[in-house]
Amino acid sequence: MTETKDIKRVVVKVGTNVMTNKDNRILGPVLKEIVRQIAVLYERDVMVILVSSGSAIAGKEVLSQCSIEDASTRRQVYSAVGQPRMMRHYYSLFHDYGMRCAQVLATKRDFAPGRHRENMINCYEGLLSQGVIPIANEDDAVSLTMSMFSDNDELASLVAELVNADRLIILTDTDGLYTGHPDDDDSERLKQVTPDQDVEKYVQASEKGEGEGRGGMESKLKIAKQTALKDIPTYIAKGKIPNVIVDIVEGKNVGTEFIVND
């Protein structure tokens, strides 16, 4: 594993499949455990930027059946309704740990070179300087197709680059990348991957329902390799494992690490 000293900024992406159960209901205890770990790192002067999915699922819980036929408009409505609900969860949880959080919504154009990008940098740097945990998500309610991220994995990678993060941690429902299906006995977890390794052949196709998120393992591999090439060690790990974020920051053998060899 790589050296873990001098880690000051970590971007953590939490996927919808981490924070929900099999019935697509938001799991409060999972969110609490994630916030607890962020609080632990905060006490060590490690600032975490949280990239959180879940707004569409949260909105779907509130509205239940939606009569809007257009899928794009329906997602916008679900996300617009669910985003404040997610922030209410996070605000309450961080408050319990004596911490503060802030919402940062963005579209892809905000990361393009120029005034939009400079404005984003100022926003993140300002929040971090005040000890406020930024919670990032795509601004689904107003995003046009041409300005949408492929998924929140891409958003997390762009944020990691924007804030010069020391680590990017992508939390999902599997403990990293395996040589076969994670449930197969003869399948082994890959502990470390370099961008030039052909590991895409191990990816299993997955299908997602509405509101369950857009990113699969194939997307995560692509993003992890791209981020590692920017000299930001990136991890794919199981989000429901207790203390997974802290363990990765401490350099323990968790998940799959993507890194450029020296």
Side-chain angles (χ1 to χ4, degrees), residues 50 86-95 99-103 127 131-135:
L50 182 61
M86 290 301 300
M87 285 306 301
R88 187 172 72 243
H89 278 308
Y90 284 125
Y91 181 90
S92 176
L93 290 168
F94 276 109
H95 185 268
M99 296 177 66
R100 299 162 295 174
C101 64
Q103 175 178 256
L127 291 170
V132 178
I133 302 299
I135 301 177

Side-chain angles (χ1 to χ4, degrees), residues 15-110:
T16 303
N17 50 13
V18 173
M19 61 178 65
T20 56
N21 63 12
K22 63 183 180 67
D23 298 319
N24 286 332
R25 307 284 294 183
I26 300 291
L27 292 169
V30 172
L31 297 183
K32 183 175 183 179
E33 168 61 10
I34 289 167
V35 171
R36 182 197 68 79
Q37 294 177 73
I38 294 174
V40 168
L41 293 176
Y42 182 79
E43 291 298 317
R44 302 179 187 177
D45 293 324
V46 178
M47 290 296 291
V48 173
I49 297 91
L50 182 61
V51 179
S52 175
S53 302
S55 61
I57 285 288
K60 199 172 182 180
E61 278 190 19
V62 173
L63 293 179
S64 186
Q65 297 300 318
C66 181
S67 62
I68 298 173
E69 294 184 4
D70 181 72
S72 178
T73 303
R74 190 166 59 242
R75 180 176 178 83
Q76 286 179 308
V77 170
Y78 282 147
S79 298
V81 171
Q83 192 63 40
R85 184 168 179 232
M86 290 301 300
M87 285 306 301
R88 187 172 72 243
H89 278 308
Y90 284 125
Y91 181 90
S92 176
L93 290 168
F94 276 109
H95 185 268
D96 288 344
Y97 284 95
M99 296 177 66
R100 299 162 295 174
C101 64
Q103 175 178 256
V104 183
L105 300 179
T107 61
K108 202 166 184 176
R109 69 179 183 183
D110 293 314

Side-chain angles (χ1 to χ4, degrees), residues 150 200 217-227 258:
S150 58
E200 284 73 14
M217 184 56 79
E218 186 175 1
S219 165
K220 289 173 175 54
L221 283 182
K222 178 182 177 182
I223 293 299
K225 285 186 172 185
Q226 289 177 350
T227 311
F258 293 76

